[in-house]
Amino acid sequence: METIMRKFLALAFAATVYGQTCQVTTVATTPPATGTGVELSSYSYCGGSLNVSVYIENVNYNKVVSLYYTNAQNQSTPLSVISLGYQNSIANTNYETWGANTPVYIDGVTELLNLTYQAVDIGQTYTQILDLAVTASGPPAPTLPSPPKPYATPNDFQNTITKWLAVEDGSESEIAFTRMFLNIQPAIPGAVNGTVVAARSGPSYDQKEPDYEYDWVRDSSLTMEVVNTLYAAAPKKTSAVYEQILFNYAAARAMEQTDPGLQTGLGEPKFYLNNTIFTGPWGRPQGDGPATAAITLIEFAIAYLANGGSITTVKSRIYDSTAHPDAAPVQKDLLFVASNWTSSSFDLWEEESSDHFYTRMVQRRALLQGAAFATKMGDSTTSSILSAAATALTATLSQFWDPNRQILLYEYGPVLRDKSSYLDIAVILGVIHGYNNDGVYGYTNDQVLSSALQISTSFITVYPIAATHKDASGHTLAPPIGRYPEDVYNGVGTATDGGNPWYLATAAMAQFMYSASSSYTAEKTLSVTSTSKPFFDYYAPNAKVIAGQTYNKNSKAFKEIVSALNGWGDAYMQTIRYYTPANGHLSEEMDRTSGVPVGAADLTWSYASLLTASFARAEAKGDKQFVRKLADLGVMPNT
């Protein structure tokens, strides 16, 4: 009897959705035999969403479950794939229920091709061939929404933000500076010089959860990039301490590269603060860390040489991994990027293995800067390898543009973790950390602008606090920004509607606005396309731009747009200011309903992002002394 039930006899039953019939096809009602691995339980395509339920055998921790299908053109593409997520364990069996309910109406679906279950830890892959036709049912599929109407039109820089960020005792920039450096070479027993603790949350701190008492390769490199910006601007009396921190960082990175416990080569994401590898289950490899580490150290080497440093020292302590494998990490990281950029890896949120826009952008920047730097180091062989890889990688970036959605996809691949909007602030972070100042996906690119609009406005209806548009003094508050609209991580775990705005994400939008303003000012001209027009209509409606028109620096529209970009940059900073506690400390997130700080305490990346946004603001404002004043504060060793 059970065998008969388990055969592919589709049993359709009706469910009512908004008064219209949704046809669900049941394929199996009980888990399969041990060793089967994966089997489809049921599916439907209702109201434009593909809903599937699957039985997955629990044979290891890291699982990747994918459903492949054909789109409306009956084609199978990297986008016509859905990644399923865990739902529940099934009592008295070794099986779990996994599923997804994903809107696919933009691309459509005609046939389910197969299910693939990768048991990553044991290297086993299970597949079920389906070849099942899909029929639409239920209510009509929705249409893509138009951008919302702007609720404010802020213009130019605000005195409150200028005062809040001024380099003076008690200002937010001074607090961010001080708190960030407390996390660099932290005063924790056993911590190695050059390491960075991700947050003051873990066993050694008052706040124990979440445990962020690790050195993440990505977070450390982005933090040290801030240190290098300060070093390059610092007067002689304070530059020495920054220089020593950066040399310590180079040594720590080389130490990580030679750890005997590496599981995925240089793609390992995090280490203990004694700089030994974290070997527990995690999203690995991560391809962005080696790239951002190389970028930071290349820029440090250039600043060090500009300060009169020795090229011999640069080779032995920063660049030449061949001659100095235990001390100089950059060449090794660059060659790893050149050899592995084509491989899928986990994203910067450590949740999804795919081909990510953010990762490709920082890899591209590393390869291009690395090629030029290798030439400067007299290493033509490595330079050629890096140049060839950069050319090949650049040719793939256009695949991230989705003309149907008018966005740059955060990843070129399946819908993972129900992120069916394909919107993620990682795209903007990819521009911030990966743009190489060469016109390829920069701040004024029309596809980037279109993506920025959709990403930033997607949170307006997600977070209740986004309904607060002004502070008590009447200053405009921009929408708080999270990682992605479908996020469920609440700072300590996951929950339905659990995702929150992040300080670093909101700062990223502020930085994007300031940098776009600076870019247009430098270019002295502004062209509007049908792709970028919605961005200007939302952020600078008074400019009344026309698609197909170009505006020069003397035009009213150009001036209006630059002023609006600066005004919105400050509006995002006003949002951070509004939700920052009185002591100025920045956690990871702000609660989506109350706005109170939640998640990891004193997140290093929050402070770093606030500072880089303030650097971008100073540039847009023409304040050439801001970074130097901040650098002149100097730092003392943590004890």
Side-chain angles (χ1 to χ4, degrees), residues 182-453:
L182 280 176
N183 291 352
I184 296 172
Q185 302 179 167
I188 293 177
V192 170
N193 280 342
T195 59
V196 178
V197 66
R200 303 181 79 77
S201 178
S204 299
Y205 298 105
D206 292 337
Q207 180 173 319
K208 306 301 182 185
E209 296 293 337
D211 185 2
Y212 279 25
E213 200 171 305
Y214 297 94
D215 180 289
W216 265 270
V217 176
R218 168 183 46 260
D219 298 37
S220 296
S221 63
L222 300 181
T223 301
M224 288 296 180
E225 189 172 33
V226 177
V227 177
N228 183 63
T229 300
L230 296 167
Y231 168 67
K236 272 283 191 203
K237 65 178 181 178
T238 55
S239 65
V241 66
Y242 300 124
E243 182 176 294
Q244 187 57 58
I245 289 171
L246 288 160
F247 272 123
N248 289 345
Y249 168 62
R253 178 59 187 152
M255 183 179 177
E256 292 170 351
Q257 292 176 339
T258 56
D259 191 293
L262 299 180
Q263 298 180 31
T264 54
L266 303 189
E268 287 297 315
K270 70 177 186 176
F271 294 77
Y272 294 104
L273 292 175
N274 65 6
N275 231 12
T276 59
I277 185 68
F278 172 80
T279 58
W282 209 255
R284 54 167 64 86
Q286 295 179 25
D288 61 315
T292 53
I295 290 167
T296 293
L297 287 171
I298 288 170
E299 294 191 336
F300 166 51
I302 291 170
Y304 172 73
L305 291 173
N307 281 349
S310 161
I311 195 167
T312 301
T313 301
V314 168
K315 289 180 179 180
S316 64
R317 298 181 64 183
I318 298 176
Y319 176 73
D320 194 349
S321 309
T322 301
H324 308 278
D326 296 326
V330 167
Q331 183 192 45
K332 190 181 293 185
D333 270 337
L334 290 171
L335 290 173
F336 179 85
V337 173
S339 299
N340 292 275
W341 72 266
T342 58
S343 300
S344 295
S345 67
F346 278 82
D347 63 316
L348 76 169
W349 310 131
E350 307 184 308
E351 295 177 333
E352 309 168 344
S353 180
S354 189
D355 296 328
H356 301 282
F357 180 79
Y358 173 88
T359 303
R360 289 281 173 89
M361 285 291 286
V362 297
Q363 287 174 331
R364 178 179 185 272
R365 181 181 171 194
L367 291 169
L368 290 170
Q369 290 188 354
F373 189 66
T375 297
K376 189 178 185 70
M377 295 294 103
D379 185 0
S380 59
T381 300
T382 297
S383 180
S384 296
I385 293 170
L386 302 180
S387 293
T391 299
L393 185 157
T394 302
T396 71
L397 290 177
S398 61
Q399 71 188 12
F400 289 95
W401 175 246
D402 188 327
N404 292 333
R405 295 173 175 84
Q406 289 286 290
I407 58 171
L408 287 162
L409 302 171
Y410 69 91
E411 67 178 15
Y412 186 59
V415 174
L416 301 173
R417 299 177 68 88
D418 293 329
K419 292 170 67 171
S420 56
S421 70
Y422 275 103
L423 299 172
D424 194 312
I425 194 64
V427 170
I428 301 305
L429 289 166
V431 176
I432 289 172
H433 297 300
Y435 181 46
N436 199 47
N437 297 312
D438 58 0
V440 178
Y441 292 107
Y443 295 97
T444 62
N445 177 280
D446 61 349
Q447 295 176 4
V448 170
L449 294 172
S450 180
S451 304
L453 170 64

Side-chain angles (χ1 to χ4, degrees), residues 90 111 146 177 182 187 189 194 219 244 309 315 355 481 494 615:
I90 302 173
E111 184 179 9
S146 300
F177 175 94
L182 280 176
D219 298 37
Q244 187 57 58
K315 289 180 179 180
D355 296 328
I481 307 299
T494 59
F615 298 163

Side-chain angles (χ1 to χ4, degrees), residues 47-272:
S49 291
L50 182 58
N51 193 337
V52 295
S53 181
V54 174
Y55 297 120
I56 295 297
E57 193 168 0
N58 186 21
V59 296
N60 81 160
Y61 178 84
N62 285 301
K63 305 177 180 70
V64 178
V65 183
S66 304
L67 171 68
Y68 294 82
Y69 62 93
T70 55
N71 61 21
Q73 289 73 45
N74 206 34
Q75 298 173 330
S76 175
T77 77
L79 299 184
S80 54
V81 188
I82 294 174
S83 180
L84 280 61
Y86 170 85
Q87 294 181 335
N88 58 267
S89 298
I90 302 173
N92 302 317
T93 75
N94 196 36
Y95 276 85
E96 302 168 341
T97 301
W98 284 52
N101 187 9
T102 304
V104 297
Y105 61 90
I106 297 174
D107 302 308
V109 55
T110 54
E111 184 179 9
L112 305 185
L113 297 177
N114 65 75
L115 278 165
T116 299
Y117 162 32
Q118 294 173 275
V120 178
D121 299 336
I122 62 174
Q124 179 73 37
T125 299
Y126 303 90
T127 301
Q128 181 188 14
I129 303 300
L130 300 175
D131 295 333
L132 297 172
V134 177
T135 302
S137 63
T143 56
L144 281 173
S146 300
K149 299 291 184 182
Y151 60 77
T153 54
N155 280 282
D156 212 357
F157 301 103
Q158 301 298 303
N159 290 335
T160 51
I161 297 302
T162 300
K163 177 68 174 175
W164 189 57
L165 294 175
V167 182
E168 59 187 35
D169 187 44
S171 74
E172 187 58 30
S173 61
E174 188 272 341
I175 293 170
F177 175 94
T178 301
R179 303 301 293 182
M180 183 186 77
F181 276 100
L182 280 176
N183 291 352
I184 296 172
Q185 302 179 167
I188 293 177
V192 170
N193 280 342
T195 59
V196 178
V197 66
R200 303 181 79 77
S201 178
S204 299
Y205 298 105
D206 292 337
Q207 180 173 319
K208 306 301 182 185
E209 296 293 337
D211 185 2
Y212 279 25
E213 200 171 305
Y214 297 94
D215 180 289
W216 265 270
V217 176
R218 168 183 46 260
D219 298 37
S220 296
S221 63
L222 300 181
T223 301
M224 288 296 180
E225 189 172 33
V226 177
V227 177
N228 183 63
T229 300
L230 296 167
Y231 168 67
K236 272 283 191 203
K237 65 178 181 178
T238 55
S239 65
V241 66
Y242 300 124
E243 182 176 294
Q244 187 57 58
I245 289 171
L246 288 160
F247 272 123
N248 289 345
Y249 168 62
R253 178 59 187 152
M255 183 179 177
E256 292 170 351
Q257 292 176 339
T258 56
D259 191 293
L262 299 180
Q263 298 180 31
T264 54
L266 303 189
E268 287 297 315
K270 70 177 186 176
F271 294 77
Y272 294 104

